[in-house]
């Protein structure tokens, strides 16, 4: 137990650096790294409280909570219900399928951000885009605890500014963490010991988050993002390879 807790702590520290630097990447880095060493369901379950607490902090630091909630409330509501529904089916998926799904989500996120320019969403289609994005994020997030690709794609397509992007992702990630916690508790994945370890993972996550904020102020964020996405891409391909083997 001590070994996998140490491994998880290191993974959350690295993930916190990604989160502090880019505003996204916490579950992708943490789950992607942890599933190389520990059971996929355990890795997904450990994400609950670090996602919840770091995104509360991220939204608070953005200082624009009311406007963020007003602009993204429909996405948040759809995400909440879609994610809660999906979590009830997580335990019915085999570990290998779960690992493969995590790998595919990470690959998709990395490739979209590295090579694809998301087309803009006109104002008249914004409500439809929020509904579709919320459903997609809820389905993916319920199985993998990773729902950042649809969220990031929607916000990029809406052309939000950097600070608004960080605040909006924090808001939508926090909203998603609530049904994730409830659903995983109901299906038996978030047991008492797992919940305690998940709470403990907040410490290395916040430590990494602090380091990431320093990095964001001192280096070229675009170059760091490219390096990080390539790293994620390699993790994703390796997870798919493991699942197939």
């Amino acid at each position: 137990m001590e070994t996998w807790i140490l491994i998880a702590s290191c993974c959350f520290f690295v993930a916190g650096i990604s989160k502090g630097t880019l505003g996204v990447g916490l579950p992708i880095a943490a789950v992607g790294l942890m599933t190389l060493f520990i059971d996929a369901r355990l890795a997904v379950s450990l994400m609950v409280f670090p996602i919840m607490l770091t995104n509360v902090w991220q939204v608070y630091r953005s200082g624009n909570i009311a406007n963020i909630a007003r602009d993204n409330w429909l996405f948040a509501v759809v995400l909440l219900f879609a994610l809660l529904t999906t979590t009830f089916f997580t335990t019915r998926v085999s570990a290998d399928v779960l690992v493969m799904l995590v790998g595919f989500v990470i690959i998709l996120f990395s490739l979209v951000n590295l090579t694809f320019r998301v087309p803009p969403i006109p104002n008249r289609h914004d409500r439809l885009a929020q509904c579709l994005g919320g459903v997609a994020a809820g389905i993916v997030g319920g199985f993998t605890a990773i729902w950042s690709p649809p969220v990031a794609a929607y916000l990029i397509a809406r052309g939000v500014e950097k600070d608004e992007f960080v605040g909006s992702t924090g808001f939508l990630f926090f909203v998603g963490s609530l049904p994730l916690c409830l659903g995983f508790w109901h299906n038996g994945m978030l047991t008492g010991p797992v919940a305690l370890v998940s709470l403990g993972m907040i410490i290395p996550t916040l430590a990494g988050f602090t380091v990431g904020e320093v990095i964001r102020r001192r280096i070229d964020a675009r170059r760091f993002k490219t390096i990080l996405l390539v790293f994620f891409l390699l993790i994703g391909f390796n997870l798919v390879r493991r699942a197939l083997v």
Side-chain angles (χ1 to χ4, degrees):
M1 179 176 291
E2 290 81 359
T3 301
W4 71 257
I5 290 178
L6 178 61
I7 290 172
S9 299
C10 294
C11 293
F12 274 101
F13 178 74
V14 173
I17 293 175
S18 170
K19 179 73 169 174
T21 306
L22 305 176
V24 295
L26 175 62
I28 286 179
V31 175
L33 289 171
M34 283 191 293
T35 47
L36 297 175
F37 306 100
I38 65 178
D39 179 76
R41 288 194 183 91
L42 177 59
V44 170
S45 301
L46 290 176
M47 288 306 310
V48 171
F49 292 113
I51 290 177
M52 190 179 297
L53 272 297
T54 54
N55 285 294
V56 167
W57 180 245
Q58 185 168 314
V59 175
Y60 172 76
R61 290 289 293 271
S62 71
N64 197 20
I65 301 174
N67 290 337
I68 289 172
R70 182 198 63 206
D71 292 340
N72 300 284
W73 70 269
L74 183 57
F75 196 119
V77 171
V78 176
L79 169 65
L80 193 151
F81 284 103
L83 209 158
L84 180 60
T85 302
T86 308
T87 56
F88 291 108
F89 299 95
T90 307
T91 55
R92 302 180 186 181
V93 179
S94 70
D96 286 339
V97 172
L98 195 59
V99 169
M100 183 179 293
L101 184 57
V102 171
F104 277 129
V105 171
I106 293 174
I107 291 170
L108 177 63
F109 174 83
S110 303
L111 289 178
V112 166
N113 282 275
L114 282 169
T115 64
F116 184 66
R117 184 176 179 84
V118 180
I121 299 173
N123 289 333
R124 65 181 183 277
H125 297 317
D126 182 54
R127 287 183 177 273
L128 176 61
Q130 289 200 40
C131 291
L132 294 176
V135 170
I139 293 173
V140 174
F143 285 115
T144 66
I146 300 171
W147 58 94
S148 53
V151 171
Y154 165 75
L155 293 173
I156 291 171
R158 289 298 293 163
V160 300
E161 299 295 331
K162 181 178 67 173
D163 292 338
E164 185 182 352
F165 179 88
V166 172
S168 298
T169 53
F171 171 71
L172 292 172
F173 293 162
F174 169 71
V175 169
S177 70
L178 301 177
L180 191 74
C181 179
L182 179 61
F184 283 178
W185 171 77
H186 184 271
N187 66 23
M189 288 175 59
L190 190 65
T191 61
V194 173
L196 287 175
V197 176
S198 180
L199 283 168
M201 291 301 106
I202 294 171
I203 298 173
T205 303
L206 290 179
F209 188 89
T210 303
V211 173
E213 286 189 320
V214 174
I215 292 174
R216 185 169 58 187
R217 292 191 295 265
R218 296 191 177 185
I219 72 167
D220 180 14
R222 182 176 299 179
R223 180 179 301 175
F224 179 81
K225 180 181 179 180
T226 301
I227 295 172
L228 197 63
L229 288 171
V230 172
F231 177 60
F232 287 165
L233 191 62
L234 294 176
I235 291 176
F237 279 120
N238 188 50
L239 290 175
V240 172
R241 178 195 62 81
R242 283 185 58 209
L244 291 174
V245 173

